[in-house]
Every structure is written in C-alpha cells, then in structure tokens.
Amino acid sequence: MSTPGGPIRLTEEVATALAEGRPVVALESTIISHGMPYPDNVAMALEVEGIVRENGAVPATIAVLHGVPRAGLTAEDLELLASDPTVGKVSVRDLPLAIAQEAHGATTVAATMRLAALAGIDVFVTGGLGGVHQGASESFDISADLTELAATPVTVVCAGVKSILDIGLTLEVLETNGVPVMVMGSYDFPAFYSRESGFSAPSRVESADEVATAMAAARRLGLSSGLVVANPIPVEDEIPAAEIDAVIARALNDLDERGISGKDVTPYLLGRIVELTDGASLTANIALVRHNARLGSAIAVAHAAADR
Ligand code: PSU
Ligand code: MN
C-alpha cells in the first residue's frame, strides 16, 4: 500500500500540510551534523524551524534516522543529529546503504533534494551549495549536489557558493545542466560570506512571487532540473571578500597538507574556517541561513497560493 511521502516517513504535521496544499519548506541536516559545531548547530536548527513557522510555512527537516528517511523531526531528533558522532554524511549514493544498515545519516543538499521530491516538497532552504572544487581538473571533486540539481525539480534557496569552491566552474556546470540560477535583488552572484563574488548573476529576480511564477513555468515546461535561488547575505552580516578569501586560502592549504579528500573535504574546510575566524564565519553562516529561511518561506507561501 502506498503511503503519503512514499518511502519517506512524514510527521502528521508535514503530511497534513502537503495533503492540504499548504506551504512546506524542506531543510537539510548535513549543515547541522557536519557544517557547524555543537551546540550552535542545534540552536540554529531549532531557530530556523521557528522562522519558517513565523513566516507561514511548515518546516520539514530531512534526515535518515535508524535507517528511515524522515521529513519533519522532533527537537530530540535534532539534538541527536547535532551531537551524535555516529551520524554519517549522506549524499544520494549513500542513501541505499544508510537505509540497509539502519544507520543515522545527515543528508546533503543532493540527498535532501531527492527525499524532498519524493515527499512532494517543492522548496528547500539551505546555506551553501556544493559545487566544483578548486583543483577539480586534477581531483575530479565535483559535488553530487550539482548532479542532483540537474535531475530533481526542487527549488533550492541558498546564499550562493563559497570560494572553497571554483565559483566560475560551478556556474558553468549549472548552465550546462539546464539549471535556472536566479539571484535575489542583485546583478552579482553571491559568495556565501560576501554579497559579491565578481561573477555576474545568471539572472536577477526581485520577489518571492517572481520565483513562484518561474517554478510554475518550469513545471509546465516539464523541466527535470531544480532551480537555484541565490540570496545575498545581508550587508550587516557579510565578511568582506578579501578577509575571508585569505582565511579560505589558508584552510585549503591545511587541507592539502593533511591529504584530506573525498566526502571529508567540505566538512574539514567549514570547521577550519570557523577556527581560523574565531567563530566569525559561524556567526555569518547562521545569519545567512536565517535570511534564507525567510525568503524560502515566502517562496513556499507564494508557490502554494499559485497551486490552488
Ligand atoms: N556548504 C556549506 N555548508 C554545508 C555544506 C556545504 O556552506 O553544510 C554541506 C551541504 O550539505 C552540501 C555538502 O550539500 O556540504 C556538500 O558536500 P560535498 O562537497 O562533499 O558534496
Ligand atoms: Mn566531493
């Protein structure tokens, strides 16, 4: 028998909202387990769920717990994700085995998109996307987030791409894969901690309604890809590019010296940047996720209204 959400276990609240066509916002969990230190990570996760609610949508944080993909978590679940060292980083290719082994898994942007789509959730809020890593011509390190964006029609609200990645090549891959990339209120593609990356916005939008209208058009066209909405960090929270780029260069150097590769690269770099900035990067990261949660909720509200 099929259940709402397919293979995903939904909370009653999320299932009801989806069944009634009310706005739902998916949230990822790798940012909690592998993107921020404890206890700031669990405080951020709870706060962001509150922001989504205040803005008229139902939050659905996504993860795999005891091998079960879930959308909608309790405070205890979030605490576990934030603090239990056995929680793995689960991208799309890790999902089958995490389920088979009844493991706990924090889902990346890619895995969260896939599970959100299966659950019927169209809008997803995160901090930063994975992308083409610097030195990818040698390492071949390109995040599965980009593969998933090519294949799964979910709108991902983020603060752009940080310069641990090759921003230009990341934008090229998104273009090749037919992924619409819209920047909210700017002609410059944002670089996560900074409002400007030096790369032009592939396109500019001014409102949540405009994004919802583009989502509806993409659906009518039968586009298989996701949409990226890049929301520049608020001016008062940004870290100037020159300042953060020096820190990132040092973190990349430390990464090389330690010989870290594969799925550990992004978590290592994020942790190292927090250390090297004495927590200033964490403060900026939390501020931009809050900002994205407000925009993503407004998009989900506009999208739900348009769908009626
Ligand atoms: N960038 C961030 N914070 C994060 C991540 C990326 O600023 O927490 C996480 C996201 O879950 C993203 C994942 O999907 O890292 C990408 O990992 P990889 O580069 O291994 O694909
Ligand atoms: Mn990688």
Side-chain angles (χ1 to χ4, degrees):
M1 198 184 83
S2 87
T3 48
I8 322 298
R9 188 189 295 167
L10 309 178
T11 55
E12 183 88 29
E13 185 193 22
V14 170
T16 307
L18 288 170
E20 294 176 356
R22 287 190 281 115
V24 177
V25 170
L27 300 162
E28 63 146 316
S29 44
T30 290
I31 187 174
I32 303 171
S33 305
H34 303 284
M36 290 183 189
Y38 183 83
D40 304 84
N41 54 359
V42 64
M44 179 279 306
L46 288 165
E47 188 192 353
V48 166
E49 290 203 347
I51 291 171
V52 170
R53 284 181 205 286
E54 280 162 25
N55 287 275
V58 171
T61 304
I62 291 183
V64 178
L65 291 172
H66 300 287
V68 180
R70 304 250 309 263
L73 301 178
T74 64
E76 294 72 42
D77 296 331
L78 294 174
E79 176 71 25
L80 182 152
L81 286 166
S83 59
D84 186 327
T86 70
V87 177
K89 175 181 165 192
V90 169
S91 192
V92 170
R93 68 124 177 229
D94 307 302
L95 282 170
L97 208 57
I99 293 168
Q101 295 180 336
E102 301 183 357
H104 297 321
T107 48
T108 62
V109 168
T112 305
M113 282 183 77
R114 182 67 67 98
L115 295 176
L118 285 167
I121 304 172
D122 298 328
V123 179
F124 164 27
V125 165
T126 186
L129 293 181
V132 180
H133 280 262
Q134 295 197 31
S137 60
E138 289 289 318
S139 68
F140 275 42
D141 191 351
I142 300 175
S143 175
D145 292 357
L146 296 182
T147 314
E148 199 58 28
L149 277 164
T152 299
V154 168
T155 295
V156 183
V157 180
C158 64
V161 169
K162 55 165 79 65
S163 48
I164 63 174
L165 301 175
D166 187 317
I167 299 174
L169 294 189
T170 299
L171 288 170
E172 290 294 347
V173 172
L174 288 166
E175 180 183 356
T176 301
N177 289 339
V179 179
V181 176
M182 298 164 263
V183 179
M184 185 56 66
S186 173
Y187 290 112
D188 205 299
F189 187 75
F192 198 82
Y193 301 115
S194 320
R195 291 178 57 81
E196 296 183 351
S197 65
F199 291 90
S200 299
S203 56
R204 172 176 170 152
V205 289
E206 305 296 342
S207 69
D209 279 339
E210 207 178 341
V211 175
T213 307
M215 288 169 68
R219 177 171 294 177
R220 281 196 303 276
L221 291 165
L223 296 196
S224 56
S225 67
L227 287 79
V228 172
V229 179
N231 190 29
I233 186 171
V235 184
E236 59 275 21
D237 298 309
E238 79 170 327
I239 305 179
E243 203 175 300
I244 198 71
D245 283 352
V247 168
I248 289 172
R250 187 154 162 218
L252 286 167
N253 187 62
D254 296 347
L255 177 85
D256 273 353
E257 272 179 9
R258 285 164 187 254
I260 293 167
S261 64
K263 68 196 287 183
D264 299 330
V265 167
T266 301
Y268 173 78
L269 290 172
L270 295 174
R272 190 74 185 117
I273 293 166
V274 173
E275 281 171 15
L276 290 172
T277 59
D278 255 333
S281 72
L282 181 61
T283 306
N285 197 346
I286 293 170
L288 67 83
V289 176
R290 286 187 192 114
H291 189 229
N292 294 347
R294 286 190 281 273
L295 176 59
S297 303
I299 292 169
V301 167
H303 175 64
D307 253 10
R308 277 169 196 271

